[in-house]
Amino acid sequence: MTQEEALTILKAGRNVYLTGPAGSGKTYVLNSYIAYLKERGVYPAVTASTGIAATHLGGMTIHSWSGIGIKDALSNYDIEMLTQKEHLWDRYQKTNVLIIDEVSMIHPRMFDSLDRLARAMKADERPFGGMQVVLSGDFFQLPPVTRGGGIAYIDSSQAWRQMDIRVCYLEEQYRQDDMSLENILSEIRAGEISPKTEELFQEIVGVFKKSKRAPTRLYTHNADVDTENETQLAELPGEVVAYDMSTRGKANVVMSLCKSILAPETLKLKKKARVMFVKNNFEEGYVNGTLGTVIAFEQNTPVVETYSGKRIHVTRATWEVEDDGKIIAAAEQLPLRLAWAITVHKSQGMSLDAAEIDLSKSFVPGQGYVALSRLRSLEGLCLLGLNRTALMVDPYVLELNKWLLQESAKWSQVIKKFSPEDFTRMHEEFISECGGTNDVDEIAYNKKQKPDTVAKKIPSYEKTLPLVEEGKTLEEIAKARGVTVGTIISHLEKLKEHHPKVSLKQYKPTSAEFKAIKTAFKTSKEQTLSAIHKKLKGEYTYEQIRLARLCI
């Protein structure tokens, strides 16, 4: 499938699994879709399974965004407690599109918990409470890390099976420019390493290449990386110049942001230090993964000469976490880190010109594929070590990959049955359902704005207000808004909070129902919906209880 086909499906509001080999443009498609939504006043929740992947998209971890935290799974009690947190409730109510990157590292048990939590938060029993869910990742990369051991992927979750997901498998290559490397990666993905490739690896293991491009070393363990970088910096002559990170925003989000970005909180440099840029800045001439050497310090600003010969006066960059068009946390630091060595895990999402890769301690399937796929060319590879695990692929992933390719091919054919006018209508309808705008002038205006100055969308509950004031029934409002009655009740709850003078008496249950429910609230120690429902022995629905609560 092409990138354009994938975007066509995404814009129609369908649940999507976006996948493909490293370098096929998954991040590009996600960023394009995010920009498309924001230009129309729709603010997606941008998340990833790891902080590193999240920062590539300017988002936060799914653990932080969802409220699930460090838990592997949620009990019914956990979900009930989370629904009582107002800031989380608000977050879910205003989210219509949820993006999760690097989903290969999410355990199915956690994915099901996310689904159950979203349904509870949105008071909507559709998968993920009716949000569009965009998943992205590659099952050939690093698998979920679980406390109990074992490997399982999200496709085995109940949520995945219920999502009616469209698979968009990108097959074009934009990173590798060497057919030999592309062939090797294809062999790994097929689970069939050819004798020619095995012979090649045997020949190059331990053979150092002379090159003007000093390579980065990739290790599978953090301890090896830290030791390498600290040793190399200490061996350079001259004094250390240190740069401290500055931060602003919510403390807990700032802490998460600092842990996730590749720039260190304190960056220590010397002249001739080998460094890597850890952020994209096309205007300045570097991208995430560009390698170079510190050649001077001018007015306390490091000057880096990249391997292509470009000299860059490195200024501080900003990493931000955005939520609904507002910047809620930010960190400023030079977009550099020492680059004699880096872990395979942290190299995910990078493109490297040259690397010395030590796979002798590989301990999970996928590490070899991740490391090798960072390179643009086989010419830049020096293999320090290799064990049997390095190039292993989970047999389950091999079979899953075949199915994903078939599904993607199917959807490529399906979309050809629709005309451009059909898709224009679908795209505009989805934006309208999300409370966004299809007005050409507004879109053009939004394109010119910075993230924190783009005009905020009107909250969905505000659009329900005129219908309430007209005295329409819950069913009439739900039909007019194209949502469920449960969602409209959520809007009424928000209206009571933000517009206390608005009368909601027309939605009050019958006298007998209201009296019974009111008494249950007065005599119950717990004020949660589940506690009241239980106290009333299930005689009244959650919707009846919520409507009565509005009038108490």
Side-chain angles (χ1 to χ4, degrees):
M1 183 177 289
T2 66
Q3 294 178 352
E4 195 60 39
E5 288 174 329
L7 282 167
T8 296
I9 295 173
L10 284 166
K11 293 174 183 178
R14 304 300 188 262
N15 291 335
V16 165
Y17 174 51
L18 181 68
T19 189
S24 58
K26 296 186 291 294
T27 301
Y28 171 81
V29 170
L30 289 180
N31 280 325
S32 297
Y33 185 48
I34 292 167
Y36 165 86
L37 291 172
K38 289 181 178 179
E39 289 163 4
R40 286 153 180 79
V42 177
Y43 296 94
V46 182
T47 74
S49 63
T50 67
I52 296 166
T55 57
H56 290 167
L57 293 170
M60 63 176 75
T61 65
I62 184 62
H63 306 74
S64 176
W65 182 88
S66 66
I68 196 171
I70 62 173
K71 293 180 179 292
D72 291 330
L74 296 176
S75 66
N76 290 337
Y77 176 80
D78 292 331
I79 290 175
E80 182 67 47
M81 290 300 99
L82 288 172
T83 58
Q84 304 305 310
K85 295 186 177 182
E86 186 176 353
H87 75 284
L88 280 179
W89 181 271
D90 288 342
R91 177 178 293 168
Y92 279 85
Q93 296 313 303
K94 65 189 178 186
T95 300
N96 293 292
V97 180
L98 172 61
I99 295 172
I100 312 176
D101 195 16
E102 296 290 0
V103 295
S104 68
M105 299 183 71
I106 295 179
H107 195 280
R109 185 169 58 249
M110 178 189 172
F111 195 59
D112 278 334
S113 291
L114 291 171
D115 174 41
R116 289 169 48 233
L117 177 59
R119 294 183 194 217
M121 286 289 192
K122 303 282 279 187
D124 188 327
E125 282 306 308
R126 289 177 295 172
F128 284 89
M131 292 186 288
Q132 180 196 25
V133 180
V134 180
L135 308 175
S136 179
D138 181 8
F139 291 124
F140 283 93
Q141 301 211 31
L142 300 180
V145 177
T146 59
R147 295 174 185 174
I151 295 175
Y153 300 95
I154 62 169
D155 70 294
S156 62
S157 66
Q158 184 176 350
W160 172 284
R161 292 191 293 269
Q162 295 179 349
M163 286 171 62
D164 190 23
I165 203 161
R166 271 62 168 165
V167 176
C168 296
Y169 200 123
L170 304 179
E171 298 181 71
E172 299 171 296
Q173 273 291 328
Y174 295 93
R175 180 181 295 148
Q176 284 84 26
D177 55 15
D178 182 286
M179 280 304 296
S180 297
L181 178 57
E182 188 174 331
N183 287 340
I184 290 172
L185 295 175
S186 296
E187 287 181 8
I188 296 175
R189 294 180 74 88
E192 299 175 356
I193 305 298
S194 67
K196 182 179 179 181
T197 297
E198 289 182 351
E199 184 179 337
L200 172 64
F201 282 142
Q202 290 174 2
E203 290 177 356
I204 66 175
V205 168
V207 178
F208 289 82
K209 296 181 179 181
K210 291 183 179 181
S211 172
K212 294 180 180 179
R213 301 175 299 178
T216 293
R217 285 194 172 184
L218 299 186
Y219 291 99
T220 53
H221 291 73
N222 277 307
D224 294 325
V225 168
D226 294 339
T227 299
E228 179 82 14
N229 284 327
E230 291 168 7
T231 300
Q232 294 286 353
L233 184 67
E235 290 180 354
L236 291 178
E239 294 184 1
V240 170
V241 181
Y243 301 88
D244 292 322
M245 181 183 292
S246 62
T247 61
R248 64 180 186 276
K250 296 182 178 180
N252 61 324
V253 184
V254 167
M255 183 180 298
S256 177
L257 178 63
C258 291
K259 289 180 179 179
S260 64
I261 63 179
L262 290 175
E265 293 189 44
T266 298
L267 174 66
K268 296 180 179 180
L269 298 176
K270 287 183 180 181
K271 190 175 179 180
K272 295 186 178 181
R274 190 177 300 173
V275 293
M276 173 189 294
F277 285 88
V278 292
K279 193 173 176 64
N280 294 332
N281 190 325
F282 300 105
E283 292 180 359
E284 292 296 325
Y286 62 82
V287 296
N288 186 11
T290 296
L291 297 167
T293 303
V294 177
I295 59 172
F297 293 94
E298 296 182 1
Q299 296 181 337
N300 204 41
T301 297
V303 180
V304 174
E305 182 173 319
T306 68
Y307 291 170
S308 64
K310 183 178 181 63
R311 294 192 175 192
I312 300 173
H313 287 70
V314 186
T315 56
R316 294 169 75 86
T318 303
W319 288 261
E320 298 173 330
V321 176
E322 183 185 331
D323 186 22
D324 195 30
K326 288 185 176 181
I327 306 302
I328 60 174
E332 291 185 357
Q333 175 61 291
L334 294 177
L336 298 172
R337 67 173 292 127
L338 295 177
W340 283 283
I342 192 170
T343 61
V344 172
H345 175 80
K346 289 183 178 178
S347 74
Q348 285 195 115
M350 291 184 174
S351 296
L352 302 176
D353 294 313
E356 293 177 351
I357 303 176
D358 186 355
L359 298 173
S360 62
K361 298 179 183 178
S362 297
F363 55 93
V364 292
Q367 284 184 314
Y369 179 82
V370 170
L372 294 172
S373 61
R374 299 309 95 203
L375 289 161
R376 292 188 176 90
S377 166
L378 194 60
E379 188 66 27
L381 171 64
C382 176
L383 197 57
L384 302 179
L386 186 70
N387 66 9
R388 293 177 62 87
T389 304
L391 304 182
M392 285 178 58
V393 176
D394 188 338
Y396 179 82
V397 171
L398 293 175
E399 291 303 312
L400 175 59
N401 191 58
K402 294 176 183 177
W403 179 81
L404 293 172
L405 284 166
Q406 292 171 358
E407 280 291 296
S408 181
K410 179 185 78 175
W411 291 114
S412 288
Q413 292 302 312
V414 169
I415 63 176
K416 291 177 182 177
K417 298 178 181 179
F418 296 89
S419 68
E421 292 75 21
D422 290 331
F423 278 116
T424 297
R425 185 185 68 257
M426 284 188 272
H427 296 167
E428 291 182 349
E429 285 177 352
F430 180 63
I431 291 298
S432 295
E433 290 172 8
C434 293
T437 179
N438 289 301
D439 183 84
V440 175
D441 292 334
E442 285 189 47
I443 293 170
Y445 174 79
N446 288 343
K447 283 183 179 180
K448 299 176 183 179
Q449 306 308 305
K450 294 181 179 180
D452 55 349
T453 58
V454 173
K456 279 194 67 177
K457 66 177 181 180
I458 299 174
S460 189
Y461 67 85
E462 294 284 2
K463 295 180 181 180
T464 296
L465 178 58
L467 300 175
V468 171
E469 292 176 330
E470 290 176 19
K472 292 187 178 297
T473 67
L474 292 174
E475 290 74 16
E476 288 173 337
I477 298 174
K479 184 177 181 180
R481 293 297 317 278
V483 296
T484 65
V485 169
T487 298
I488 297 303
I489 294 176
S490 298
H491 292 178
L492 298 183
E493 291 167 337
K494 297 300 294 183
L495 290 174
K496 181 181 180 181
E497 176 185 350
H498 296 280
H499 298 276
K501 293 183 179 180
V502 174
S503 175
L504 302 175
K505 290 182 179 179
Q506 64 266 39
Y507 307 114
K508 184 177 179 180
T510 65
S511 179
E513 291 171 348
F514 179 72
K515 183 178 180 180
I517 296 171
K518 183 179 180 180
T519 300
F521 269 106
K522 283 187 174 181
T523 58
S524 177
K525 293 181 180 180
E526 291 186 52
Q527 297 294 296
T528 63
L529 292 174
S530 59
I532 301 302
H533 185 264
K534 185 177 180 180
K535 187 175 182 66
L536 293 168
K537 299 180 180 179
E539 186 175 346
Y540 301 102
T541 66
Y542 278 95
E543 289 183 352
Q544 288 175 305
I545 296 171
R546 292 171 69 193
L547 288 172
R549 186 172 61 179
L550 285 171
C551 301
I552 294 176

